[in-house]
Structures are given as structure tokens and as C-alpha cells.
Amino acid sequence: GAGVSQSPSNKVTEKGKDVELRCDPISGHTALYWYRQSLGQGLEFLIYFQGNSAPDKSGLPSDRFSAERTGGSVSTLTIQRTQQEDSAVYLCASSLGEFRNWYQETQYFGPGTRLLVL
Amino acid sequence: AQKVTQAQTEISVVEKEDVTLDCVYETRDTTYYLFWYKQPPSGELVFLIRRNSFDEQNEISGRYSWNFQKSTSSFNFTITASQVVDSAVYFCALSELDSNYQLIWGAGTKLIIKP
């Protein structure tokens, strides 16, 4: 079946502009995660959704970052007033939600959105 | 503190050699999960294996094998008869109930397989 998809694949924007990144999880997956990976670095957790709810938003780097999920499916990560340090690959993952606790789940990743802020 | 250590930053071997990627973790929980992911140059993270803390059986999948040892808090990954297509960055990760909805990731090991 289809995996996690993300759009756009690449985004170049000017400093100060807003951007929206989209994630389509695997069909039927109830949990969704956003991560950020800067060049040559590890993964930085941003936010987790169970259904449409995000139990903890403390991973978002600043109040310029926001995320929402609608219909228990598609999620959008919005970055307002982008800064050069926001340049990174933004990865989305989803998991089935078959277990009682999130930490038992296997996360499946999308191809990422490469964001470059000039 | 929760921590995952992949001490090998980069490994370079010649094709057909066997190679082992090390992963050492720290946790106070008795129930946790360990994962390995592969990130080829294309950038997409590919899931390889998930292991829970109560299952210490080693696992083999084709040329890949995993050695989980709770006594040394290690979950090492071996590729037998390596191939150029195995070239990638490999990440080890830990999840447990108290890690606040996030996987705890190692820094990754870049594996280079030379023809």
C-alpha cells in the first residue's frame, strides 16, 4: 500500500515568509509525528498527534511553529516568519495506533520536505 | 537520563565484508522498545526492526542480524556480506513510556561500502 507522503518535496522561501508543509499518513494510521533534521544532524522531535489531538506541543521550537491535523488524517505544519535557522528537512511519520501506548508503536516515515530559507 | 549512543560516526568497508554497527542505550524502565532505521542518500528513513525489552532473541533477516543483550544494554546490528546498496546512515532509537511521545535517537552511523 501507499506509504507516508509529504508535500512539497522541496521548498525555497525568503526569510520572513510563512510556509505550510503537508503530511498524508498511511491510510488507517491514527498516530502522526513531525520531526526536523538539520544537515548532518540527528532527528529533533516536534510534535505527536493521536487522532486530531496533540497531547504535548512542547517540542515545537518556537511560537512561530504550529501544527494541526484534521479528520484524523492529513496534517499541516506551519512555520510563520521563517528564519534561516529553520532550514532543514522536515520529516513526518505515522503509526497504526494498534497498541495502548504510543511507545510500543513502529513509526513509518515519509520522504521529507527539504526547506531552504534564504 | 534516556540516552542512545552510537559511538561509530562513520565506518568504511569493502564490499562483501561483514560489518557491525554498535548501539548502546540507557534507560531506567523495564519495558521499552528499540528500533533500527536506515537512511539512504535519498533521505527517507526506512524501518528495519523493532524489539521489545522482553524479547532477547537474536533476529536474522537475510543478510541482516541483530544482537540484543540487556546485560550490556546493547542492540547491535550486523550486515553480512555487505553490498554497495547498504551504504546509508543507520540510526538506533529507543522508546519508553516516559520519553514524552518521542523516540530517543542515536546520532547515527554513516556506513560506506566501497566496491
Side-chain angles (χ1 to χ4, degrees):
Chain A
V4 178
S5 61
Q6 293 185 245
S7 61
S9 301
N10 295 280
K11 177 71 176 179
V12 181
T13 190
E14 293 178 351
K15 178 181 173 181
K17 294 283 181 68
D18 298 350
V19 295
E20 281 190 355
L21 311 181
R22 176 187 169 105
C23 173
D24 279 276
I26 294 172
S27 178
H29 280 200
T30 61
L32 186 145
Y33 312 76
W34 282 98
Y35 293 86
R36 178 169 71 173
Q37 187 175 31
S38 301
L39 186 63
Q41 301 297 310
L43 280 84
E44 176 188 4
F45 171 78
L46 299 178
I47 195 167
Y48 156 71
F49 285 93
Q50 180 54 51
N52 293 332
S53 300
D56 186 344
K57 298 182 179 180
S58 62
L60 294 174
S62 75
D63 58 8
R64 297 185 295 104
F65 287 72
S66 63
E68 66 173 13
R69 189 179 185 196
T70 55
S73 180
V74 172
S75 176
T76 303
L77 177 68
T78 301
I79 309 173
Q80 295 179 313
R81 305 180 304 282
T82 52
Q83 303 294 313
Q84 289 182 333
E85 60 262 29
D86 298 333
S87 297
V89 177
Y90 289 81
L91 292 163
C92 176
S94 69
S95 64
L96 185 56
E98 61 183 319
F99 295 102
R100 183 174 184 176
N101 296 301
W102 74 272
Y103 73 101
Q104 298 171 286
E105 301 279 315
T106 295
Q107 298 179 28
Y108 297 91
F109 285 79
T113 293
R114 286 158 182 76
L115 175 65
L116 177 61
V117 182
L118 301 176
Chain B
Q2 304 141 4
K3 186 177 175 183
V4 176
T5 302
Q6 295 180 255
Q8 303 148 310
T9 304
E10 183 174 307
I11 301 174
S12 180
V13 301
V14 177
E15 196 172 22
K16 298 184 183 177
E17 287 186 18
D18 298 348
V19 58
T20 295
L21 310 181
D22 297 333
C23 174
V24 175
Y25 61 93
E26 296 177 28
T27 178
R28 289 173 291 198
D29 279 16
T30 56
T31 304
Y32 52 89
Y33 289 77
L34 294 163
F35 302 82
W36 276 95
Y37 285 85
K38 173 183 180 180
Q39 189 173 41
S42 61
E44 186 166 348
L45 275 162
V46 178
F47 165 72
L48 296 177
I49 190 170
R50 164 181 171 271
R51 177 53 50 90
N52 76 56
S53 53
F54 297 107
D55 183 1
E56 289 195 70
Q57 277 193 329
N58 290 333
E59 182 151 342
I60 298 175
S61 176
R63 296 183 296 107
Y64 295 172
S65 63
W66 290 269
N67 184 339
F68 177 33
Q69 294 200 344
K70 289 180 72 172
S71 60
T72 56
S73 296
S74 65
F75 187 40
N76 296 337
F77 173 32
T78 297
I79 301 175
T80 302
S82 59
Q83 300 176 3
V84 173
V85 294
D86 296 327
S87 296
V89 179
Y90 290 85
F91 290 95
C92 178
L94 163 73
S95 72
E96 57 183 25
L97 187 60
D98 293 334
S99 54
N100 209 26
Y101 307 108
Q102 52 184 295
L103 286 170
I104 308 301
W105 295 87
T109 296
K110 183 176 183 179
L111 178 62
I112 300 169
I113 310 296
K114 298 178 181 177

